[in-house]
Amino acid sequence: MSRQFRSLKFLFVGLILGLVIGFGLGWFLKPAPSQKVVHVRFTLDWAYQGPQAPFLVALYKGFFAEEGLSVTIERGYGSAKVISDVASGLFDIGYGDINTLIEFKSKNPNAKVKMVAILQVASPLCIATLKGKGINTPKDLEGKRLGAPAGDAARRMFPAFAKAVGIDPEKVTWVTMDIPLREPMLVRGDVDAIAGFYFTIVINLLNLGVPEEDIIIFKYGDYLNLLGNGIIVNEDFLKKHPDAVRKFLRAIIRGIKYTIEHPEEAIDILLIKDPTLNKDMELKRLKMALELINVKGITDKYGLGYVEPSMIERNIDTIVSVLNLSRRPSVNEIIDFSYLPPLEERLP
């Protein structure tokens, strides 16, 4: 056998071995099939403002996309509408108030809506007034005109606050207005006090030129055992897409953690959605909202999105009692924490 023939033989054998190895590696290392993208219709509780920035961070930083989710975010019009819209399937997931949810589930036990994460571990609900209105204590609200949009959570929960502070809610006259008119009507004197989220009211009043020392706030949380907003899911969507809900929560928590670390960038992202906003004011509003989410002694122990079930039990008792609800929903009807990421992913 000539040397040339032997060289060709070795070359041929080497080629065959290379092809075999190449096909073998290609079989074992071939990329996994691309994950199916799940579309999620998500509604906020309110307008695009500083407190809503973490959700936009999750969208614009690509956290949803990395989880295989296509998410559309719509502004909200109050927690009562968020809950009814999610229950009806108009939205798959929403951001709304647990207290409003407790009342809703008490009256509508078959409604297909449940909370899967508590984000605000302290309630932002309040009544606000101004110096010179003759309202220095909650008792002074009797005989006064209070203003709020019809679906506002603080207005919905006012009977609970009224009972806790010892005033007759029937002695208060409610004036309904659109969102942009609430603080201007207080400043003009059209109403004596307003209801809403305290960080929203305070910043809006500052934007109208009201000195901060002239703003009087009665926080519901100072008188009641109340939690705040969380992530609410349509139960049909939850049953059909449980992994999508887990991924959604993971992306949201990433968005919150990123916002805590980079609040100014979060507001820059918010301004992409609404360039007309005042950056400094929305940054202040955001930081006030984060104080309700990242609470020492709770989130540093349990992580974002979770509270002890005993806190929810007490919250349910409070709402059922003060609103005289005929049926007490169980904790399991209200919330299911099993879709949250592991603790190490949720620690701020």
Side-chain angles (χ1 to χ4, degrees), residues 86-311:
V86 172
S88 69
L90 183 61
F91 290 96
D92 306 309
I93 303 178
Y95 183 52
D97 174 52
I98 190 172
N99 305 293
T100 308
L101 177 63
I102 292 168
E103 180 187 11
F104 184 83
K105 289 288 281 187
S106 173
K107 297 177 178 178
N108 304 277
N110 296 321
K112 296 183 177 181
V113 59
K114 180 174 286 189
M115 191 166 278
V116 289
I118 287 283
L119 298 184
Q120 291 177 342
V121 297
S123 175
L125 305 183
C126 82
I127 298 295
T129 186
L130 302 175
K131 287 184 178 178
K133 298 283 188 183
I135 304 173
N136 299 307
T137 68
K139 184 69 175 175
D140 297 328
L141 291 169
E142 290 188 346
K144 298 296 194 296
R145 296 163 299 166
L146 271 64
D152 183 77
R155 177 172 177 174
R156 299 275 297 162
M157 292 300 109
F158 180 77
F161 172 76
K163 186 169 184 177
V165 299
I167 65 176
D168 184 353
E170 297 299 323
K171 294 183 179 180
V172 169
T173 300
W174 282 99
V175 178
T176 301
M177 73 279 290
D178 291 333
I179 297 168
L181 299 178
R182 179 176 53 190
E183 288 79 13
M185 289 182 70
L186 175 63
V187 173
R188 290 200 307 262
D190 297 331
V191 293
D192 304 301
I194 53 178
F197 283 16
Y198 88 93
F199 48 74
T200 299
I201 289 174
V202 168
I203 299 302
N204 288 350
L205 289 173
L206 293 177
N207 278 329
L208 292 174
V210 177
E212 193 163 1
E213 59 270 19
D214 287 352
I215 303 172
I216 299 172
I217 299 289
F218 304 123
K219 295 180 183 178
Y220 286 17
D222 291 341
Y223 304 91
L224 290 166
N225 177 25
L226 292 178
L227 297 163
N229 275 20
I231 301 298
I232 298 166
V233 181
N234 177 277
E235 292 189 69
D236 285 339
F237 181 84
L238 184 62
K239 184 177 180 180
K240 186 177 180 181
H241 300 289
D243 286 339
V245 173
R246 293 186 181 94
K247 293 174 179 180
F248 184 91
L249 291 178
R250 186 159 53 235
I252 287 296
I253 288 173
R254 281 185 68 191
I256 294 172
K257 291 169 69 173
Y258 192 92
T259 300
I260 292 171
E261 296 172 359
H262 309 281
E264 292 193 10
E265 184 183 348
I267 295 303
D268 288 336
I269 290 172
L270 173 69
L271 293 177
I272 295 173
K273 194 69 176 177
D274 187 352
T276 67
L277 295 171
N278 181 298
K279 180 174 180 178
D280 292 336
M281 287 296 184
E282 294 309 323
L283 180 59
K284 183 170 183 177
R285 197 196 312 259
L286 169 62
K287 290 180 177 179
M288 293 171 71
L290 290 176
E291 291 174 358
L292 305 176
I293 292 174
N294 187 18
V295 177
K296 186 176 181 181
I298 300 180
T299 46
D300 55 354
K301 180 179 180 182
Y302 299 111
L304 296 163
Y306 181 87
V307 297
E308 288 184 326
S310 61
M311 292 183 67

